[in-house]
């Protein structure tokens, strides 16, 4: 029985190490972006919007597409998008093909801020994810 516990315990410890690395990295990204008025989750949404085309090939993403890519509840994502919109970084509009859907697009101000903070976030990731204990 003890032989079964050992691999299982190693798996649990590996999982806990992953969670700890995620938490440390998230905190470091939050600290680095704070001076720019962003947190890690804000940046993730801006980064997704800046990175490429939505599933339909356009530049605007449906909120559901964003939700599928960032790890936030629908209500938390809605509040985050509302904050970004209030700050002039994104715009929301109704989906022309589905009036129940909402599309989000990066504004020029959002694109500029993303370009400014992207190297900061990437530097934190490089440092945190290549460090050895």
């Amino acid at each position: 029985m003890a032989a079964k516990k050992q691999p299982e315990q190693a798996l649990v410890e590996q999982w806990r190490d992953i969670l700890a690395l995620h938490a440390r990295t998230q905190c470091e990204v939050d600290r680095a972006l704070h001076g720019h008025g962003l947190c890690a989750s804000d940046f993730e949404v801006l980064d997704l919007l800046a990175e490429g085309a939505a599933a339909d090939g356009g530049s605007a993403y449906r909120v559901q597409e964003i939700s599928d890519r960032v790890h936030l509840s629908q209500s938390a994502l809605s509040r985050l998008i509302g904050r970004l919109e209030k700050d002039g970084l994104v715009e929301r509009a109704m989906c022309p093909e589905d009036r129940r859907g909402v599309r989000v697009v990066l504004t020029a101000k959002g694109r500029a801020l993303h370009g400014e903070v992207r190297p900061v976030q990437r530097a934190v990731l490089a440092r945190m994810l290549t460090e050895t204990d």
Side-chain angles (χ1 to χ4, degrees), residues 67-120:
S67 178
D68 290 345
R69 301 278 305 276
V70 298
H71 302 288
L72 296 171
S73 68
Q74 193 77 15
S75 61
L77 178 60
S78 235
R79 287 190 301 274
L80 186 152
I81 291 170
R83 272 195 327 273
L84 295 176
E85 185 176 39
K86 182 177 166 241
D87 293 342
L89 303 175
V90 302
E91 292 176 344
R92 286 190 271 197
M94 299 303 289
C95 291
E97 62 278 356
D98 178 2
R99 301 294 293 164
R100 296 170 297 169
V102 175
R103 290 200 169 276
V104 181
V105 66
L106 205 54
T107 63
K109 180 179 177 182
R111 191 166 301 286
L113 181 59
H114 175 265
E116 180 183 324
V117 300
R118 184 178 184 272
V120 173

Side-chain angles (χ1 to χ4, degrees), residues 28-47:
E28 286 297 314
V29 171
D30 280 341
R31 269 193 280 280
L33 298 181
H34 180 75
H36 299 276
L38 298 173
C39 69
S41 295
D42 297 339
F43 179 81
E44 284 303 316
V45 171
L46 295 179
D47 200 41

